[in-house]
Amino acid sequence: MFAIPLGQGEGADRAELRPLEPWQADEFLAHMDRARSGVDEWIGLAAAATDLGSARALLQSYADKRAADTGRLYGIWLDGTLVGGVLYRVFDARSGNCEIGCWLEPAGRRRGLVTAASRQLIDWAFRVRGMHRVEWVVSAGNERSIAVAKRLGMTLDGVMRQSYPHNGVRHDVQVWSLLVTEWGR
C-alpha cells in the first residue's frame, strides 16, 4: 500500500491520501456515519453505504472499476482517522477524459485536504496517464465544492439546469474542467 502526504493547509502535514479498499468497509462505514448529513446533502454516496454490506459493496465496486481502469477511490486520513475521500468517478483513458469528485466529514474541513488530494489526482491523470481533460461536476448550491474547483484553477464550462435528482429535488449542476495544457501544478 502507498500513502501520499498531503502537506498543505492547517493540519494537512498529519494527513495522507491512501487507496480505500473493500477490506476497510468497517472504517469506511464509521466515517460515513460521521459524515452522512453533510455528504447526503449533495451526493448519494452516504445513501449507498448504510450498513456493512452496502459499504463493502460500494468499495468493491470501485475496486472493480480500478481493475477495469474506469475509476478509483482514495481515502483521506487525518491523524490516522478516515475523514474523507476523493475519487475518479469516471475514468475514460480512451477518450482522455475523467471526472473527479470528493467528500469530507466536518473534522477534515478547512484544512485544504480536498484541494491537496484533488491536485494529486489531477497531476496523476495528466502526467502519468496522459489524460486530456479532468472534470468536476457539482451541484450549483454546493459552495464548498465550487470553491475547490476554483482553487484548482478549473474553468466553469456551464450549468445543466435541473439535471440531477437528489433527495426528491432536481439540482442545477455546474461542470468545471481543466485541460492538460492548463495544468501547471
Side-chain angles (χ1 to χ4, degrees), residues 109-131:
R109 290 185 188 150
R110 300 197 184 284
R111 299 172 184 269
L113 299 175
V114 164
T115 302
S118 297
R119 277 194 177 104
Q120 292 292 329
L121 266 62
I122 293 168
D123 198 61
W124 185 81
F126 286 151
R127 296 183 195 272
V128 176
R129 293 305 308 276
M131 300 301 269

Side-chain angles (χ1 to χ4, degrees), residues 29-170:
L29 180 60
H31 155 65
M32 208 36 60
D33 286 343
R34 293 187 304 271
R36 193 167 308 283
S37 63
V39 171
D40 191 51
E41 183 177 0
W42 304 113
I43 60 175
L45 184 68
T50 57
D51 57 31
L52 191 55
S54 60
R56 186 174 288 113
L58 177 70
L59 296 178
Q60 184 62 53
S61 74
Y62 272 90
D64 294 344
K65 281 184 166 196
R66 185 181 65 244
D69 199 27
T70 59
R72 286 173 169 73
L73 181 64
Y74 301 94
I76 299 171
W77 278 262
L78 178 63
D79 292 329
T81 300
L82 180 62
V83 296
V86 291
L87 55 87
Y88 294 105
R89 196 185 74 73
V90 175
F91 193 89
D92 185 350
R94 185 173 302 175
S95 72
N97 297 325
C98 63
E99 177 191 335
I100 63 174
C102 67
W103 75 94
L104 203 59
E105 69 180 65
R109 290 185 188 150
R110 300 197 184 284
R111 299 172 184 269
L113 299 175
V114 164
T115 302
S118 297
R119 277 194 177 104
Q120 292 292 329
L121 266 62
I122 293 168
D123 198 61
W124 185 81
F126 286 151
R127 296 183 195 272
V128 176
R129 293 305 308 276
M131 300 301 269
H132 179 77
R133 175 185 170 89
V134 174
E135 291 184 351
W136 187 274
V137 178
V138 57
S139 173
N142 190 341
E143 294 176 8
R144 287 191 309 262
S145 188
I146 291 167
V148 172
K150 290 176 180 178
R151 283 193 297 274
L152 292 169
M154 293 185 155
T155 298
L156 177 61
D157 290 334
V159 177
M160 296 185 300
R161 298 176 306 138
Q162 297 185 8
S163 71
Y164 186 93
H166 183 64
N167 291 337
V169 176
R170 295 201 67 87

